[in-house]
Amino acid sequence: MMEGNSREKGEASSVSEETLAAPWPHQLNHNYANWLQIQDTLKKKLILEDDFDWKLPTPTEEEHVLLKYVGGVDISFSKHSNSIACGCLVVLELPSLQIEYQDFSLLTLQVPYVPSFLAFREAPVLLQLLEKLKNNAMPFYPQLLMVDGNGLLHPRGFGLACHLGVLADLPTIGIGKSLHHVDGLTQFGVRQLLEAKENSTEDFTTLTGCSGCTWGVAMRSTLGSMKPIFISIGHRISLDTAVKIVKLTCKYRMPEPVRQADIRSRDYLRKHQMETSEGCKRPSQV
């Protein structure tokens, strides 16, 4: 397994607070107007169909054209402060789901959380991890990125997965743990749809809103589970292909790329805070 080679093993990349805070205005009302404009501009660049040169793994396809490296990203936050965070990028190899690369970024976020604008808080951290991997000329740069967050299934139709996909120019899939109440969709309604399919071979239901728009899919990723995950297009991929790839990468409820990014970011943050706490307790030496 490769780790980011510009740091020692186990050491997170350092990102200055000034770097992450600089592009964003300080006053929230100014932020809001600016973010709306940025979202609308980026949304025009969305590609909602398959736009890549690889194919899904099958026995008949040549290895050099197959989807081989799938990335996963997530950010975990400290229990003591909702601004202390650890971003994580992992890259898994298909079909083994072995982790080939991981990297971390430990930092204090200056951008506040605002509903519907999560990307402006988290995307800069994750983009820097991707850029670092690309600049280091690693062979493991992902052909596809899975994001622990929504894509089209979002109040403004442009969640974190869309934002990252457009800026990184990567095929991207959004994986949500809970449902945004968009276009008349509700948790209760989705549960009813899944219960109606309990005895069928289908393990997912399409999320079509009152407007007739398809926002994504609710899928039972483990046998007998009634707690679905919510899959939506991020960028440069169709919903059908996104569902196929999620099925290829699920061992548990969440697909392995985002599951591993979540586990490892939380573990890294916990270890760092333990070391910091122990360091504070040690007597100073003269």
Side-chain angles (χ1 to χ4, degrees):
M1 175 178 67
M2 294 292 296
E3 300 199 29
N5 64 0
S6 65
R7 59 183 170 82
E8 295 298 323
K9 185 175 180 180
E11 179 184 349
S13 317
S14 61
V15 182
S16 71
E17 296 174 12
E18 292 77 15
T19 298
L20 290 173
W24 317 117
H26 294 293
Q27 294 185 8
L28 193 56
N29 59 345
H30 190 185
N31 271 353
Y32 183 75
N34 192 33
W35 291 349
L36 280 172
Q37 184 178 7
I38 293 170
Q39 264 191 355
D40 288 341
T41 300
L42 293 177
K43 193 173 180 179
K44 294 174 184 176
K45 300 180 181 181
L46 271 181
I47 298 173
L48 306 180
E49 59 188 15
D50 292 337
D51 179 37
F52 43 75
D53 57 6
W54 42 261
K55 298 182 180 180
L56 297 184
T58 68
T60 59
E61 295 296 348
E62 296 181 28
E63 186 174 347
H64 69 276
V65 300
L66 295 182
L67 173 60
K68 186 174 183 181
Y69 295 122
V70 178
V73 289
D74 191 22
I75 293 184
S76 293
F77 291 88
S78 167
K79 294 179 180 178
H80 310 294
S81 169
N82 62 6
S83 61
I84 298 174
C86 179
C88 179
L89 164 66
V90 297
V91 181
L92 280 64
E93 186 267 342
L94 289 183
S96 69
L97 297 180
Q98 176 180 327
I99 295 176
E100 299 289 354
Y101 175 91
Q102 65 175 6
D103 198 6
F104 306 90
S105 179
L106 189 64
L107 66 155
T108 301
L109 294 174
Q110 299 298 299
V111 180
Y113 168 68
V114 180
S116 300
F117 296 95
L118 176 68
F120 292 94
R121 180 171 166 86
E122 298 192 358
V125 183
L126 303 174
L127 285 166
Q128 285 183 359
L129 287 169
L130 284 166
E131 193 65 23
K132 178 182 170 185
L133 174 54
K134 182 184 285 186
N135 290 340
N136 287 343
M138 290 284 190
F140 303 117
Y141 193 76
Q143 298 158 283
L144 168 87
L145 190 66
M146 286 190 181
V147 179
D148 192 342
N150 292 287
L152 289 185
L153 186 56
H154 178 268
R156 287 182 45 78
F158 197 81
L160 177 61
C162 296
H163 199 112
L164 273 176
V166 170
L167 290 179
D169 193 25
L170 270 174
T172 311
I173 302 171
I175 309 292
K177 300 185 187 78
S178 57
L179 178 68
H180 278 300
H181 288 190
V182 176
D183 197 10
L185 296 170
T186 65
Q187 294 273 10
F188 178 73
V190 170
R191 188 163 61 246
Q192 283 187 316
L193 290 171
L194 286 172
E195 286 173 354
K197 293 189 175 185
E198 240 180 342
N199 297 320
S200 74
T201 56
E202 285 190 349
D203 52 7
F204 66 90
T205 187
T206 303
L207 299 174
T208 303
C210 296
S211 68
C213 176
T214 297
W215 296 92
V217 159
M219 188 175 91
R220 293 175 294 198
S221 48
T222 54
L223 189 63
S225 172
M226 289 307 297
K227 195 173 184 181
I229 56 173
F230 300 94
I231 305 164
S232 58
I233 295 170
H235 183 52
R236 292 181 53 193
I237 196 163
S238 67
L239 187 57
D240 285 346
T241 302
V243 170
K244 290 175 184 176
I245 293 170
V246 169
K247 288 182 177 182
L248 282 175
T249 56
C250 269
K251 292 164 60 176
Y252 303 96
R253 183 190 173 211
M254 294 294 284
E256 279 300 288
V258 290
R259 178 175 171 270
Q260 289 297 333
D262 173 53
I263 290 171
R264 289 163 189 268
S265 61
R266 284 189 287 109
D267 189 51
Y268 192 95
L269 188 58
R270 179 182 58 79
K271 287 178 180 177
H272 172 77
Q273 292 180 329
M274 284 178 61
E275 290 169 1
T276 301
S277 176
E278 288 173 3
C280 292
K281 293 175 183 177
R282 292 177 190 143
S284 59
Q285 297 182 4
V286 179

